[in-house]
Amino acid sequence: RVRALASATPDAQATHGIRRIFLSHAAADERLAALVRNEIVRLQPGIEVFLASRPGDIRADEDWLAVIQRQLREADAYVVLL
């Protein structure tokens, strides 16, 4: 069960300037990661959540490792599912 991650009314203070989140998860948690990502995006429109397992987050013609490393560098915050 996912609890509310933020208020339903997004503003700069509610997100503390966070615009990009890197969401890390094990392959076994792919469905949970997608749910968490969708809730963040729903509750805080305008925040980008990178999820490597999400189709389209890494294009077929891109170097997978390079994309992951770039997303890690550019993220304002990290969510790790353990």
Side-chain angles (χ1 to χ4, degrees), residues 3-14:
R3 287 188 271 158
L5 301 171
S7 70
T9 307
D11 62 30
Q13 285 188 339

Side-chain angles (χ1 to χ4, degrees), residues 23 25 29-41 49 51 53-55 81:
L23 200 160
H25 67 91
D29 295 327
E30 183 176 341
R31 290 180 62 201
L32 175 60
L35 175 65
V36 169
R37 181 223 170 260
N38 292 343
E39 283 299 296
I40 293 170
V41 170
V49 180
L51 186 60
S53 62
R54 184 172 170 257
L81 301 182

Side-chain angles (χ1 to χ4, degrees), residues 11-76:
D11 62 30
Q13 285 188 339
T15 61
H16 302 285
I18 295 171
R19 290 283 151 225
R20 298 175 69 126
I21 296 174
F22 185 99
L23 200 160
S24 178
H25 67 91
D29 295 327
E30 183 176 341
R31 290 180 62 201
L32 175 60
L35 175 65
V36 169
R37 181 223 170 260
N38 292 343
E39 283 299 296
I40 293 170
V41 170
R42 183 179 70 79
L43 293 170
Q44 292 296 324
I47 289 184
E48 295 175 32
V49 180
F50 175 79
L51 186 60
S53 62
R54 184 172 170 257
D57 274 10
I58 300 178
R59 293 189 328 258
D61 64 339
E62 289 182 299
D63 176 14
W64 182 83
L65 182 56
V67 171
I68 299 256
Q69 290 172 334
R70 184 180 74 244
Q71 292 293 333
L72 281 166
R73 281 191 309 273
E74 295 177 354
D76 300 309

